[in-house]
Amino acid sequence: MDLVTQHNTQQAQRQAAMAVLAHAEAGEIAARLRNFALPPHQDLRAPENGLVMLRGRVGGDGAPFNLGEATVSRAAVRLASGEVGFGYTLGRDGEKARLIALCDALVQSRDFGASVERDIIAPLREQLAMRREQAAAKTAATKVDFYTMVRGEG
């Protein structure tokens, strides 16, 4: 595998992991990490809160406009082996941002990447899929079919 393909594969893995972690609850991530032998690590950027500007487009392709601001939390963590992870999440949950950053650093590690995917990311992905299925089933149960009756009389 050449260097570019390896980089693209690692980037895709990180993106998939971040998508799962961003939608998971902080308590779920923390519970999974409790059962994991964490390597030495340090906070590069302590969790902090801030605002980001949300941009929108009319119809998806119109001129961009400022929609408003959203609160976000961010953090950065470095493992003793040198991998740096970043965590961002909507809202003011600094601990969740730190946990995401830690998981991001672990995913990049040669020693921990596979076990993090197996023991943390994959179970969280299954939980999220189950929640989405339950929400879809709940929504489908309230579906109303509207139709027009055609009278057979002349």
Side-chain angles (χ1 to χ4, degrees), residues 14 44 76-79 81-86 101 104-106 108:
R14 284 180 72 191
L44 285 180
V77 173
R78 179 175 40 213
L79 300 181
S81 55
E83 294 84 0
V84 176
F86 301 93
D104 182 39
L106 290 169
Q108 297 174 63

Side-chain angles (χ1 to χ4, degrees), residues 12-101:
Q13 262 184 321
R14 284 180 72 191
Q15 287 174 344
M18 293 302 248
V20 170
L21 293 167
H23 289 95
E25 297 294 326
E28 295 171 340
I29 300 169
R32 300 250 175 233
L33 282 172
R34 272 189 222 111
N35 301 328
F36 197 81
L38 293 174
H41 59 280
Q42 68 179 18
D43 288 349
L44 285 180
R45 178 185 309 263
E48 58 188 7
N49 301 321
L51 296 171
V52 294
M53 179 60 68
L54 301 176
R55 307 261 303 164
R57 291 180 182 267
V58 175
D61 60 355
F65 63 94
N66 291 337
L67 182 64
E69 295 176 330
T71 307
V72 294
S73 297
R74 70 177 179 177
V77 173
R78 179 175 40 213
L79 300 181
S81 55
E83 294 84 0
V84 176
F86 301 93
Y88 291 85
T89 186
L90 282 173
R92 300 177 53 88
D93 194 349
E95 182 60 18
K96 181 178 177 183
R98 194 184 71 71
L99 293 171
I100 291 172

Side-chain angles (χ1 to χ4, degrees), residues 115-130:
S115 56
V116 167
E117 175 63 36
R118 181 187 65 240
D119 298 336
I120 298 171
I121 308 296
L124 289 173
R125 185 178 293 121
E126 289 174 16
Q127 280 182 339
L128 288 172
M130 200 164 52

